[in-house]
Every structure is written in C-alpha cells, then in structure tokens.
Amino acid sequence: MQVLAQHPKFQDVEVECSMFPDHAEQLFQVYLDLTEAKGFENVSVIQAPLLGRCLIEGKNVDNGNDYTVLPVLVTETWSLEKMQDVFLSLDKEQDLRLKTAASFKITLALIAADSTLTYVNLYRGVPPEPKDTPPIST
C-alpha cells in the first residue's frame, strides 16, 4: 500500500483502504478510473463492512445516471448464489445508500490482471427492458 500512498488522490480513499487492505488496490484503481478517466461527479466511497470491502458511488456526466460500483477481480468466483448474497448483505448494511443500491442494481467493476476494467450491471431479479429496444414481435 506504500506505493499507492504516493499518489496524490490516495488520500481520498486512504481510510477505506486501511479498513479493507485486501481490496485496497482494486478500490483505488476503480476510484481513479471513475474520477480521472471517466470524469464521474459526486464520487464517494461507501464502506460495506458486511461485504468486507467498499463500493463507490458517483454520477456519470455523459449519461446523467448514478452508479454504485463494486470493484472485484476477474479471478473471483461468481455464481447466482454469490450475487444474491451481495444484494442481501447490502440490504443489511447501515448506510442507506447501499440499501438503495441493493433494491435495484449495482455495477461490478471487473479488474483484469493487466489492469483492464470492464463494467457490468448486476440487477436484482429480472432486469428492465432497455428503453430503446423495441418489444419482440410475434
């Protein structure tokens, strides 16, 4: 974590990285991507002790949507059960922002070994039909 601490933006997430050191690098990488590369506004880090890590919330200025992002490594094993457990854990968190996110959707920030980030929306239940997609005709 000493290398991370040399970055000027590290102070923004230092407390959270200290609380969850196993996920510090992922948190900081996604935080930098959202704030510096993607230009998100109103970015804040939310502690999720029941998950043992933090999530990041912010507004995408390109589309005006708010996102709650969970940084994860692509090497982590995910299943339907794990996804359901994430939503159930968020339901039980004290921070109301997490309960709100858990009611509908979170975004996974999948981090590859080469530092590539891929963002995937994870919906609770059946996702809504995209607005610009016409219904399937019979």
Side-chain angles (χ1 to χ4, degrees):
M1 200 164 6
Q2 288 179 327
V3 173
L4 299 178
Q6 295 175 7
H7 194 284
K9 294 288 258 180
F10 183 73
Q11 65 185 1
D12 296 349
V13 295
E14 185 174 9
V15 170
E16 289 81 4
C17 287
S18 297
M19 289 181 68
F20 306 106
D22 291 344
H23 301 283
E25 289 180 25
Q26 298 98 304
L27 175 66
F28 190 51
Q29 182 178 348
V30 174
Y31 181 82
L32 286 177
D33 187 58
L34 295 177
T35 58
E36 301 298 310
K38 299 203 178 323
F40 271 42
E41 293 180 342
N42 304 321
V43 176
S44 61
V45 177
I46 310 169
Q47 299 170 9
L50 297 176
L51 284 180
R53 57 177 79 193
C54 293
L55 288 86
I56 304 168
E57 70 171 358
K59 180 180 282 297
N60 183 335
V61 295
D62 291 339
N63 63 23
N65 292 330
D66 292 318
Y67 291 87
T68 303
V69 181
L70 176 63
V72 298
L73 295 173
V74 294
T75 55
E76 290 184 47
T77 302
W78 284 81
S79 65
L80 290 175
E81 183 179 350
K82 183 171 181 174
M83 291 177 208
Q84 183 177 8
D85 288 345
V86 166
F87 280 110
L88 292 173
S89 293
L90 293 175
D91 281 340
K92 296 174 187 172
E93 292 287 355
Q94 296 299 311
D95 194 309
L96 293 177
R97 296 172 294 177
L98 293 175
K99 292 179 186 219
T100 301
S103 68
F104 180 58
K105 152 190 110 157
I106 60 171
T107 301
L108 298 180
L110 303 168
I111 306 163
D114 67 356
S115 298
T116 301
L117 289 171
T118 303
Y119 294 93
V120 178
N121 289 327
L122 181 60
Y123 291 90
R124 183 176 212 158
V126 178
E129 187 173 310
K131 294 175 184 157
D132 59 348
T133 304
I136 297 173
S137 56
T138 54

